Amino acid sequence: MKEKGVIEVNIEESLKESYLDYAMSVIIGRALPDVRDGLKPVHRRVLYAMYEMGVLHNKPYKKSARIVGDVIGKYHPHGDSAVYDTLVRMAQDFSMRYPLVDGQGNFGSVDGDSPAAMRYTEVRMTKIAEEMLADIDKDTVDFNPNYDGSLKEPAVLPTRIPNMLINGTSGIAVGMATNIPPHNLTEVINALVYMIDNKDYRDDDILKFVKGPDFPTYGIIYGKDEILKAYKTGKGVIKVRARVKKEVTTTGKELLVITEIPYQVNKANLIEKIANLAREKKITGIVDLRDESDRDGIRVVIEVKRGENSDVIINQLYKNTQMEIAYGINLVGIVNNKPKTLTLRDLLEQFLDHRKVVVIRRTKFLLKKAEDRLHILEGLIKAVENIDEVVALIKSSHNANEAKEKLMEKYDLSEAQAQAILDMKLQRLTGLEIEKLKKEYQETLKNIEFYKSILNNENVLMGIIKDELIEIRDKYGDERRTEIVSNAEEINIEDLIPDDEVVVTLSYQGFIKRTPLTNFRSQKRGGKGKAGAISSKDDFIKDLIVTTNHSTLMFFTNKGKIHYLKVYELPELARDAKGKYIANLISLDSDEKVAAMISTKEFDREHFVFMCTKDGVVKKTSLDAFSSGRSGIIAIKLREGDEIVDVSLISKNDLIFISTKKGKCIQFNSSEVRNMGRNATGVRGITLDKDDSVVSMEAVKGDPLILAVTAKGYGKLTLVTEYRVQSRGGKGIKLSKVTEKTGEIVGARQVKIEDDVMLISKSSKVIRLSVSDIPILGRDTQGVRLMGLSDEIVSFDVIRED
């Protein structure tokens, strides 16, 4: 039973209604700018409070705290810090293209330094800000009650400048946001003038004048297509870069000097980022970094190591730091109290519409004032023409009211005319003053005629708006700061790095490097080898592949994921260097490690990635399925306890050769394995004995020799034709004789007589052998000693003659 006085409501509807009210309050009253003057309420209130206080550009500065106090006391019932932050931003020449506040004191810096407290700084309006409030006293805009109803504040400013575009703005409301970049005043006004002169203008005509954003911090915008897209749709992303120039010192050192940075980028954070990248060797070739910026401008100096390619360093800086940013354009503003996404054309048209309203209201105000004055002048002139009678009439009256009534009755005057006659000074009776009255009367008539022509003729009205815009352009217009280039002149690192053959080695602990292949010379069979890396007690070279600098490395992890790197992105180090930790180059989980790696130059549909796991599971997936280059995606779905052993790139009908550590092998046609998606598990490739596992997998091409190598340094060549082709999933046949003397099989690879082979031991010894030095033997043999060593061979790879 409902209690008396209790009103039942639907809580869902109540919450929805309350939230919508809140959302619209934030959108309209705080976060988004009005499309007419480009201001949010807090900006408008700050400027109006300064105008009321008379803190104009030619008047003395006043304490910021005094301005803030007036704003929050009269118009903006929020915190003082929010108002002061607004005031500060309007004074920052690196935030505003055309600052609206002239500040004296510390107003922060491009390094992100905080401004001084409001009690220390002083402000006044800039001259251009006063243009935003011009004619506000001529009934040009509506006024609304302030928060407590005690005062009135303007709903919008009668701005003469297209502030929405020239200064831009940003804001996040509920469910929407705006991000409008600043523009050049001259370009915007030239576009407006063209629109006034040409009624049948098109978007492309406007874009001939407004080239693109013009940031206060200069910089370079790359690519015009995104600018055009943003202007025509209201949304887009543009690429903004810092300006870098090259200098050479008297001692021959090459310097890279940053003189301009992208808009809203913190210079101090940018320098710190560059320093960290250089310290971590993610960008090599930087030997010194210093900030030589002063009041004359930005100057960040990067000293380049002798012999380094400075173009590569510049490209890496653009790629890895905020020297290049993506600036998102989102042209959203308040139109008729509703948020709306606008095009450039919409923004310009809305400004012109606002100027029409302002000029019409101003003209009506001036017309009314002129008509009132004309009415008074008619009375004064009539009184002067009959001055003797008027004076006698006034003298004969007992009081002012009687005199007023007599004047109104005798000369057919209005009360206002009669009062003006009574208020007239005796000096107006001189001949000169009488002529002035008549001259003023004629001028007032002309003004009234002019005002009426404005209101009655659209062309005259637009001509007034055009003249005022040209006046603003001539007073405040300046040169464009931000350069716009058609396309990013990106430096292709691959064009700067020779596509030489290199040896890529990956250690058991995960250290990777590349070394020019020429650093390894062929040795005779049985040699002691060269040090391949700095060995440690717990680490040794695990994988080695021979590839080229321009190839893409595909890393397959024990978890069945794939990661990508360009070969040239690996550190090029000496043969005995340790290398760089792989986890610093690709993102790996704490319990994840690289199990196999392959290289390729193209991702096409003609080739397949063929994977084989320790438990004998195989999977074939089209190479183009991995073309996204997104690291961390699934390559194969593994069963519990299984892991990837080997991966090969194959053609459609290649034969697959799988080897096990116990000396078994199987050879079958890859066509027996269907093409599967990346998330598939795979199928059985070989059936293993209980204590056996797969150690290598090869895609056999042609009629090669099979090189089998054991852990204790034995190896042999066997004709591939001795290993018959079987059906997928069988137990296989004997690969090589495995004894205690030979140790278990490390792997089996296909080779040609003209190839070389590189063997890596657990102690990181590396030896390069010519295949022609290794004997060709049958399947059921143990082979000969390839490497004289006391420890074990852990990996080997083939250096193809081609």
Side-chain angles (χ1 to χ4, degrees):
M1 182 177 175
K2 186 168 67 173
E3 292 183 24
K4 188 177 180 181
V6 175
I7 301 173
E8 291 185 356
V9 296
N10 184 311
I11 190 168
E12 182 181 347
E13 291 299 322
S14 179
L15 285 172
K16 186 186 296 184
E17 185 179 329
S18 298
Y19 189 77
L20 284 173
D21 288 344
Y22 160 72
M24 289 307 294
S25 174
V26 172
I27 291 167
I28 304 298
R30 189 178 301 184
L32 299 185
D34 191 296
V35 72
R36 295 170 291 179
D37 60 6
L39 297 175
K40 301 175 189 178
V42 64
H43 297 86
R44 192 177 300 116
R45 288 162 178 168
V46 167
L47 291 176
Y48 184 63
M50 294 177 75
Y51 170 81
E52 271 197 316
M53 293 174 68
V55 192
L56 306 179
H57 79 278
N58 54 357
K59 297 294 173 62
Y61 292 93
K62 280 190 169 32
K63 285 287 186 183
S64 299
R66 185 171 172 188
I67 307 297
V68 172
D70 246 37
V71 173
I72 62 176
K74 292 180 177 180
Y75 308 114
H76 200 68
H78 300 284
D80 58 350
S81 60
V83 176
Y84 185 53
D85 288 345
T86 299
L87 191 66
V88 165
R89 187 178 184 279
M90 289 196 291
Q92 293 174 335
D93 58 4
F94 53 87
S95 294
M96 302 284 281
R97 182 64 177 83
Y98 300 91
L100 303 176
V101 171
D102 177 13
Q104 184 168 266
N106 174 16
F107 282 84
S109 74
V110 74
D111 286 325
D113 299 318
S114 299
M118 68 179 81
R119 61 183 178 274
Y120 299 120
T121 60
E122 297 177 335
V123 293
R124 63 185 178 187
M125 295 174 74
T126 58
K127 194 172 183 181
I128 197 170
E130 293 173 23
E131 303 289 356
M132 297 195 68
L133 291 130
D135 303 322
I136 198 170
D137 57 347
K138 295 183 175 69
D139 191 35
T140 49
V141 293
D142 291 334
F143 278 72
N144 298 327
N146 69 339
Y147 64 90
D148 63 359
S150 61
L151 296 168
K152 295 279 189 179
E153 60 174 314
V156 66
L157 297 186
T159 176
R160 290 186 179 185
I161 62 171
N163 183 64
M164 183 88 156
L165 277 169
I166 66 168
N167 272 323
T169 188
S170 63
I172 300 173
V174 179
M176 60 185 63
T178 187
N179 201 36
I180 302 173
H183 290 76
N184 183 271
L185 176 68
T186 302
E187 291 182 1
V188 173
I189 290 184
N190 285 341
L192 290 166
V193 169
Y194 180 86
M195 291 166 66
I196 292 171
D197 290 339
N198 301 271
K199 304 299 182 185
D200 57 346
Y201 58 84
R202 298 173 301 169
D203 288 349
D204 291 339
D205 297 325
I206 296 171
L207 297 174
K208 291 176 183 176
F209 297 96
V210 182
K211 307 296 184 184
D214 190 26
F215 299 110
T217 51
Y218 297 81
I220 306 168
I221 298 174
Y222 282 89
K224 293 182 178 178
D225 291 344
E226 278 297 323
I227 296 175
L228 299 181
K229 176 186 172 185
Y231 284 163
K232 290 183 177 182
T233 66
K235 292 179 182 291
V237 180
I238 59 173
K239 185 187 292 184
V240 187
R241 282 184 173 180
R243 187 179 296 277
V244 184
K245 63 180 183 179
K246 299 177 184 178
E247 294 181 4
V248 179
T249 66
T250 54
T251 58
K253 292 180 180 178
E254 187 175 14
L255 305 178
L256 299 177
V257 182
I258 303 170
T259 57
E260 301 169 13
I261 61 175
Y263 185 50
Q264 294 177 330
V265 167
N266 184 306
K267 176 165 65 70
N269 291 346
L270 174 63
I271 294 171
E272 184 180 358
K273 177 68 174 178
I274 296 172
N276 289 338
L277 290 171
R279 191 180 304 114
E280 295 167 4
K281 304 297 183 184
K282 289 185 178 179
I283 296 181
T284 56
I286 296 177
V287 295
D288 192 22
L289 173 67
R290 55 187 179 272
D291 187 2
E292 298 179 357
S293 305
D294 54 24
R295 65 181 58 191
D296 295 326
I298 292 172
R299 181 179 168 85
V300 178
V301 180
I302 300 169
E303 189 175 317
V304 179
K305 185 178 180 181
R306 291 184 188 274
E308 291 286 338
N309 190 322
S310 59
D311 288 330
V312 173
I313 295 174
I314 292 172
N315 200 69
Q316 290 176 324
L317 289 170
Y318 284 142
K319 181 179 178 182
N320 296 292
T321 73
Q322 282 196 304
M323 280 179 59
E324 176 181 297
I325 64 167
Y327 185 93
I329 297 176
N330 192 19
L331 308 180
V332 177
I334 302 299
V335 182
N336 297 326
N337 280 326
K338 292 181 181 178
K340 184 179 179 182
T341 299
L342 304 152
T343 63
L344 174 66
R345 177 174 177 164
D346 292 335
L347 287 171
L348 295 171
E349 288 176 345
Q350 288 288 339
F351 176 74
L352 285 179
D353 289 345
H354 179 53
R355 286 304 300 162
K356 283 184 189 178
V357 171
V358 167
V359 173
I360 287 172
R361 290 184 61 159
R362 180 185 69 192
T363 304
K364 287 180 177 179
F365 175 86
L366 294 174
L367 176 61
K368 175 70 167 57
K369 192 174 181 181
E371 288 175 339
D372 290 345
R373 181 59 181 168
L374 187 71
H375 182 65
I376 298 299
L377 288 171
E378 287 173 345
L380 292 176
I381 290 172
K382 191 178 288 188
V384 170
E385 289 174 346
N386 302 277
I387 189 63
D388 293 335
E389 293 85 346
V390 168
V391 169
L393 186 149
I394 293 172
K395 287 176 67 178
S396 65
S397 301
H398 290 87
N399 53 49
N401 285 335
E402 182 183 339
K404 185 192 300 182
E405 290 174 2
K406 288 180 178 180
L407 285 170
M408 291 169 62
E409 181 180 350
K410 183 172 183 178
Y411 297 102
D412 193 22
L413 299 174
S414 68
E415 185 176 349
Q417 288 175 318
Q419 185 63 49
I421 292 170
L422 292 173
D423 293 339
M424 187 171 58
K425 295 181 180 179
L426 290 175
Q427 71 178 30
R428 304 299 296 270
L429 300 178
T430 63
L432 186 60
E433 288 295 326
I434 292 170
E435 285 302 315
K436 280 185 180 180
L437 280 174
K438 291 180 178 179
K439 185 177 180 181
E440 184 184 353
Y441 181 81
Q442 293 301 320
E443 287 178 353
T444 306
L445 278 175
K446 288 180 182 178
N447 288 339
I448 289 172
E449 184 180 349
F450 176 60
Y451 296 146
K452 287 181 177 179
S453 71
I454 294 174
L455 297 174
N456 297 327
N457 191 320
E458 176 85 4
N459 291 332
V460 177
L461 170 66
M462 297 311 295
I464 295 293
I465 295 172
K466 174 184 171 181
D467 291 343
E468 291 180 351
L469 285 171
I470 291 173
E471 181 187 350
I472 293 292
R473 181 193 66 190
D474 294 344
K475 283 173 70 175
Y476 305 106
D478 56 4
E479 294 295 321
R480 162 171 281 279
R481 295 183 182 182
T482 303
E483 181 184 353
I484 300 174
V485 296
S486 297
N487 294 300
E489 299 171 357
E490 292 188 8
I491 299 162
N492 190 341
I493 295 181
E494 291 188 7
D495 294 338
L496 303 171
I497 297 174
D499 195 21
D500 294 336
E501 286 189 301
V502 292
V503 176
V504 176
T505 56
L506 179 66
S507 77
Y508 177 77
Q509 296 284 7
F511 290 92
I512 192 169
K513 71 175 187 293
R514 64 184 166 106
T515 305
L517 184 60
T518 52
N519 285 15
F520 297 87
R521 60 179 176 83
S522 295
Q523 299 179 45
K524 292 296 181 181
R525 176 171 63 83
K528 295 292 184 181
K530 294 280 186 180
I534 298 173
S535 62
S536 67
K537 184 178 179 182
D538 300 320
D539 201 12
F540 55 88
I541 296 295
K542 181 177 76 73
D543 283 316
L544 175 151
I545 60 173
V546 179
T547 183
T548 63
N549 281 322
H550 291 188
S551 297
T552 298
L553 284 171
M554 302 167 68
F555 298 92
F556 295 83
T557 73
N558 60 324
K559 288 187 172 184
K561 295 181 181 179
I562 184 172
H563 297 265
Y564 301 83
L565 276 180
K566 281 289 190 179
V567 172
Y568 59 72
E569 292 179 315
L570 299 177
E572 182 178 323
L573 300 171
R575 190 178 56 227
D576 57 352
K578 185 175 184 179
K580 189 168 187 175
Y581 192 49
I582 186 70
N584 289 333
L585 299 172
I586 60 176
S587 180
L588 298 174
D589 295 337
S590 57
D591 58 344
E592 189 176 18
K593 61 182 180 180
V594 173
M597 59 181 179
I598 60 174
S599 67
T600 184
K601 282 198 172 183
E602 295 181 3
F603 293 87
D604 55 45
R605 295 186 178 183
E606 307 302 319
H607 293 85
F608 300 88
V609 175
F610 200 94
M611 291 162 269
C612 182
T613 74
K614 181 183 70 173
D615 290 345
V617 175
V618 295
K619 177 185 169 187
K620 182 172 74 174
T621 302
S622 177
L623 180 58
D624 76 324
F626 298 98
S627 62
S628 69
R630 287 191 298 115
S631 288
I633 61 176
I634 294 293
I636 182 173
K637 188 175 181 181
L638 296 170
R639 294 186 177 93
E640 186 175 354
D642 201 2
E643 59 185 45
I644 291 178
V645 167
D646 235 329
V647 182
S648 288
L649 283 179
I650 67 168
S651 298
K652 190 173 183 180
N653 291 310
D654 284 348
L655 293 174
I656 302 299
F657 194 95
I658 297 175
S659 309
T660 76
K661 69 179 182 180
K662 295 298 184 182
K664 289 289 189 70
C665 68
I666 189 170
Q667 185 176 199
F668 59 86
N669 197 300
S670 63
S671 61
E672 290 193 42
V673 182
R674 63 179 175 82
N675 184 18
M676 307 177 203
R678 288 189 298 100
N679 289 311
T681 301
V683 295
R684 175 65 54 191
I686 184 172
T687 301
L688 300 170
D689 293 335
K690 189 175 182 180
D691 59 344
D692 204 359
S693 61
V694 173
V695 291
S696 68
M697 181 270 295
E698 281 279 279
V700 178
K701 301 181 186 296
D703 293 322
L705 297 164
I706 297 295
L707 171 63
V709 177
T710 69
K712 292 189 177 179
Y714 284 81
K716 64 164 185 175
L717 297 174
T718 303
L719 295 170
V720 74
T721 52
E722 290 200 27
Y723 302 101
R724 71 180 186 274
V725 177
Q726 301 173 267
S727 296
R728 173 187 63 80
K731 284 199 166 188
I733 59 176
K734 182 172 284 189
L735 167 71
S736 180
K737 183 181 285 187
V738 173
T739 64
E740 189 175 338
K741 177 183 177 182
T742 62
E744 294 179 335
I745 298 292
V746 171
R749 301 289 185 197
Q750 59 181 324
V751 295
K752 295 180 180 179
I753 288 295
E754 56 267 28
D755 292 339
D756 283 0
V757 62
M758 295 189 75
L759 308 171
I760 306 98
S761 75
K762 197 170 185 177
S763 61
S764 296
K765 293 289 185 181
V766 178
I767 187 169
R768 178 168 174 167
L769 303 174
S770 174
V771 170
S772 59
D773 289 338
I774 303 173
I776 300 175
L777 303 171
R779 284 196 301 113
D780 195 17
T781 57
Q782 69 177 18
V784 298
R785 182 172 290 280
L786 302 179
M787 190 172 186
L789 74 171
S790 57
D791 58 358
E792 295 182 353
I793 291 178
V794 293
S795 180
F796 76 96
D797 209 341
V798 179
I799 305 167
R800 310 292 177 193
E801 187 273 337
D802 58 357

Short mmCIF file of all heavy atoms in Angstrom, two decimals, residues 471-498:
data_model
loop_
_atom_site.label_atom_id
_atom_site.label_comp_id
_atom_site.label_asym_id
_atom_site.label_seq_id
_atom_site.Cartn_x
_atom_site.Cartn_y
_atom_site.Cartn_z
N GLU A 471 39.54 44.89 -42.63
CA GLU A 471 40.21 45.74 -41.64
C GLU A 471 40.90 44.90 -40.57
O GLU A 471 42.05 45.18 -40.18
CB GLU A 471 39.16 46.67 -40.99
CG GLU A 471 39.75 47.61 -39.96
CD GLU A 471 38.69 48.40 -39.22
OE1 GLU A 471 37.51 48.35 -39.63
OE2 GLU A 471 39.04 49.05 -38.22
N ILE A 472 40.21 43.85 -40.10
CA ILE A 472 40.81 42.94 -39.11
C ILE A 472 42.03 42.25 -39.70
O ILE A 472 43.08 42.14 -39.05
CB ILE A 472 39.77 41.90 -38.64
CG1 ILE A 472 38.64 42.55 -37.85
CG2 ILE A 472 40.44 40.79 -37.82
CD1 ILE A 472 39.06 43.12 -36.52
N ARG A 473 41.90 41.77 -40.93
CA ARG A 473 43.03 41.08 -41.59
C ARG A 473 44.23 41.99 -41.71
O ARG A 473 45.37 41.59 -41.44
CB ARG A 473 42.59 40.60 -42.97
CG ARG A 473 43.66 39.85 -43.75
CD ARG A 473 43.27 39.69 -45.20
NE ARG A 473 43.23 40.99 -45.87
CZ ARG A 473 42.73 41.17 -47.10
NH1 ARG A 473 42.22 40.14 -47.77
NH2 ARG A 473 42.74 42.37 -47.64
N ASP A 474 44.00 43.23 -42.13
CA ASP A 474 45.12 44.16 -42.32
C ASP A 474 45.77 44.54 -40.99
O ASP A 474 46.97 44.84 -40.95
CB ASP A 474 44.63 45.41 -43.04
CG ASP A 474 44.19 45.11 -44.48
OD1 ASP A 474 44.54 44.03 -44.99
OD2 ASP A 474 43.46 45.95 -45.07
N LYS A 475 45.00 44.53 -39.91
CA LYS A 475 45.54 44.92 -38.60
C LYS A 475 46.29 43.77 -37.92
O LYS A 475 47.33 43.98 -37.29
CB LYS A 475 44.41 45.39 -37.67
CG LYS A 475 43.92 46.79 -37.97
CD LYS A 475 42.69 47.14 -37.16
CE LYS A 475 42.97 47.30 -35.69
NZ LYS A 475 41.78 47.76 -34.94
N TYR A 476 45.76 42.55 -38.06
CA TYR A 476 46.30 41.45 -37.25
C TYR A 476 46.84 40.27 -38.08
O TYR A 476 47.42 39.35 -37.52
CB TYR A 476 45.21 40.91 -36.32
CG TYR A 476 44.58 41.96 -35.45
CD1 TYR A 476 43.29 42.43 -35.72
CD2 TYR A 476 45.27 42.51 -34.38
CE1 TYR A 476 42.70 43.40 -34.93
CE2 TYR A 476 44.68 43.49 -33.59
CZ TYR A 476 43.40 43.93 -33.87
OH TYR A 476 42.83 44.91 -33.07
N GLY A 477 46.64 40.29 -39.38
CA GLY A 477 47.09 39.17 -40.20
C GLY A 477 48.60 39.03 -40.21
O GLY A 477 49.34 40.02 -40.09
N ASP A 478 49.07 37.79 -40.32
CA ASP A 478 50.51 37.55 -40.36
C ASP A 478 50.81 36.38 -41.29
O ASP A 478 49.91 35.78 -41.88
CB ASP A 478 51.07 37.28 -38.95
CG ASP A 478 50.37 36.12 -38.26
OD1 ASP A 478 49.51 35.47 -38.89
OD2 ASP A 478 50.66 35.85 -37.08
N GLU A 479 52.07 36.04 -41.41
CA GLU A 479 52.49 34.95 -42.29
C GLU A 479 52.20 33.61 -41.64
O GLU A 479 52.21 33.48 -40.41
CB GLU A 479 53.99 35.06 -42.59
CG GLU A 479 54.38 36.29 -43.41
CD GLU A 479 53.79 36.27 -44.81
OE1 GLU A 479 53.75 35.19 -45.42
OE2 GLU A 479 53.36 37.35 -45.28
N ARG A 480 51.99 32.60 -42.47
CA ARG A 480 51.80 31.23 -41.99
C ARG A 480 53.07 30.75 -41.29
O ARG A 480 54.18 31.04 -41.72
CB ARG A 480 51.46 30.32 -43.19
CG ARG A 480 51.65 28.86 -42.92
CD ARG A 480 51.11 28.00 -44.04
NE ARG A 480 49.66 27.89 -43.92
CZ ARG A 480 49.05 27.05 -43.10
NH1 ARG A 480 49.75 26.27 -42.30
NH2 ARG A 480 47.74 27.00 -43.04
N ARG A 481 52.88 30.03 -40.19
CA ARG A 481 54.03 29.49 -39.44
C ARG A 481 54.30 28.02 -39.77
O ARG A 481 55.44 27.60 -39.87
CB ARG A 481 53.78 29.62 -37.93
CG ARG A 481 53.69 31.06 -37.45
CD ARG A 481 53.51 31.12 -35.93
NE ARG A 481 53.38 32.49 -35.45
CZ ARG A 481 53.24 32.83 -34.17
NH1 ARG A 481 53.18 31.88 -33.26
NH2 ARG A 481 53.14 34.09 -33.82
N THR A 482 53.24 27.23 -39.87
CA THR A 482 53.39 25.79 -40.09
C THR A 482 53.45 25.50 -41.58
O THR A 482 52.54 25.86 -42.33
CB THR A 482 52.22 25.02 -39.46
OG1 THR A 482 52.16 25.33 -38.07
CG2 THR A 482 52.40 23.53 -39.63
N GLU A 483 54.52 24.83 -41.98
CA GLU A 483 54.67 24.46 -43.39
C GLU A 483 53.84 23.22 -43.69
O GLU A 483 53.73 22.32 -42.86
CB GLU A 483 56.14 24.19 -43.70
CG GLU A 483 56.41 23.83 -45.15
CD GLU A 483 57.86 23.45 -45.41
OE1 GLU A 483 58.70 23.60 -44.47
OE2 GLU A 483 58.17 23.01 -46.52
N ILE A 484 53.25 23.19 -44.87
CA ILE A 484 52.48 22.03 -45.31
C ILE A 484 53.13 21.47 -46.56
O ILE A 484 53.36 22.19 -47.53
CB ILE A 484 51.01 22.40 -45.61
CG1 ILE A 484 50.33 22.97 -44.37
CG2 ILE A 484 50.24 21.19 -46.11
CD1 ILE A 484 48.94 23.50 -44.62
N VAL A 485 53.46 20.17 -46.52
CA VAL A 485 54.02 19.51 -47.70
C VAL A 485 53.07 18.41 -48.13
O VAL A 485 52.34 17.83 -47.32
CB VAL A 485 55.43 18.94 -47.40
CG1 VAL A 485 56.40 20.04 -47.08
CG2 VAL A 485 55.38 17.93 -46.27
N SER A 486 53.08 18.13 -49.43
CA SER A 486 52.10 17.20 -50.00
C SER A 486 52.20 15.82 -49.39
O SER A 486 51.23 15.24 -48.95
CB SER A 486 52.28 17.13 -51.51
OG SER A 486 52.01 18.39 -52.08
N ASN A 487 53.41 15.26 -49.36
CA ASN A 487 53.59 13.91 -48.85
C ASN A 487 54.81 13.87 -47.96
O ASN A 487 55.77 14.60 -48.17
CB ASN A 487 53.76 12.90 -49.99
CG ASN A 487 52.49 12.77 -50.81
OD1 ASN A 487 51.45 12.40 -50.29
ND2 ASN A 487 52.59 13.10 -52.09
N ALA A 488 54.75 12.99 -46.99
CA ALA A 488 55.88 12.83 -46.06
C ALA A 488 57.09 12.31 -46.81
O ALA A 488 57.04 11.27 -47.45
CB ALA A 488 55.51 11.87 -44.94
N GLU A 489 58.17 13.07 -46.73
CA GLU A 489 59.40 12.64 -47.38
C GLU A 489 60.11 11.65 -46.47
O GLU A 489 61.18 11.90 -45.93
CB GLU A 489 60.28 13.84 -47.67
CG GLU A 489 59.62 14.86 -48.60
CD GLU A 489 60.41 16.14 -48.70
OE1 GLU A 489 61.44 16.25 -48.00
OE2 GLU A 489 60.02 17.01 -49.47
N GLU A 490 59.47 10.52 -46.29
CA GLU A 490 60.02 9.54 -45.38
C GLU A 490 61.27 8.91 -45.95
O GLU A 490 61.35 8.59 -47.13
CB GLU A 490 58.98 8.45 -45.09
CG GLU A 490 57.80 8.97 -44.28
CD GLU A 490 56.90 7.84 -43.85
OE1 GLU A 490 57.28 6.67 -44.05
OE2 GLU A 490 55.82 8.14 -43.33
N ILE A 491 62.22 8.77 -45.08
CA ILE A 491 63.47 8.13 -45.49
C ILE A 491 63.29 6.63 -45.31
O ILE A 491 63.00 6.15 -44.23
CB ILE A 491 64.64 8.63 -44.62
CG1 ILE A 491 64.79 10.15 -44.80
CG2 ILE A 491 65.91 7.90 -44.96
CD1 ILE A 491 65.58 10.80 -43.72
N ASN A 492 63.42 5.91 -46.39
CA ASN A 492 63.31 4.47 -46.32
C ASN A 492 64.65 3.92 -45.87
O ASN A 492 65.64 3.97 -46.62
CB ASN A 492 62.92 3.91 -47.70
CG ASN A 492 62.55 2.44 -47.62
OD1 ASN A 492 62.91 1.75 -46.66
ND2 ASN A 492 61.85 1.97 -48.62
N ILE A 493 64.68 3.41 -44.66
CA ILE A 493 65.94 2.92 -44.11
C ILE A 493 66.53 1.83 -45.00
O ILE A 493 67.74 1.74 -45.15
CB ILE A 493 65.73 2.40 -42.68
CG1 ILE A 493 65.31 3.56 -41.77
CG2 ILE A 493 66.97 1.74 -42.14
CD1 ILE A 493 65.09 3.18 -40.34
N GLU A 494 65.67 1.04 -45.60
CA GLU A 494 66.17 -0.04 -46.45
C GLU A 494 66.98 0.49 -47.62
O GLU A 494 67.86 -0.19 -48.13
CB GLU A 494 65.00 -0.89 -46.95
CG GLU A 494 64.34 -1.70 -45.84
CD GLU A 494 63.33 -2.69 -46.38
OE1 GLU A 494 63.24 -2.83 -47.61
OE2 GLU A 494 62.63 -3.31 -45.57
N ASP A 495 66.65 1.73 -48.07
CA ASP A 495 67.41 2.32 -49.17
C ASP A 495 68.79 2.78 -48.71
O ASP A 495 69.68 3.00 -49.53
CB ASP A 495 66.65 3.51 -49.76
CG ASP A 495 65.35 3.08 -50.43
OD1 ASP A 495 65.26 1.89 -50.81
OD2 ASP A 495 64.45 3.91 -50.56
N LEU A 496 68.93 2.95 -47.40
CA LEU A 496 70.21 3.44 -46.86
C LEU A 496 71.10 2.33 -46.34
O LEU A 496 72.28 2.53 -46.11
CB LEU A 496 69.93 4.44 -45.73
CG LEU A 496 69.06 5.65 -46.10
CD1 LEU A 496 68.69 6.43 -44.86
CD2 LEU A 496 69.80 6.55 -47.09
N ILE A 497 70.51 1.14 -46.16
CA ILE A 497 71.27 0.01 -45.62
C ILE A 497 71.45 -1.02 -46.72
O ILE A 497 70.46 -1.49 -47.30
CB ILE A 497 70.55 -0.61 -44.42
CG1 ILE A 497 70.44 0.42 -43.29
CG2 ILE A 497 71.26 -1.86 -43.93
CD1 ILE A 497 69.62 -0.03 -42.12
N PRO A 498 72.68 -1.41 -47.05
CA PRO A 498 72.91 -2.42 -48.09
C PRO A 498 72.25 -3.74 -47.71
O PRO A 498 72.24 -4.13 -46.54
CB PRO A 498 74.44 -2.55 -48.11
CG PRO A 498 74.96 -1.32 -47.45
CD PRO A 498 73.92 -0.91 -46.45
#
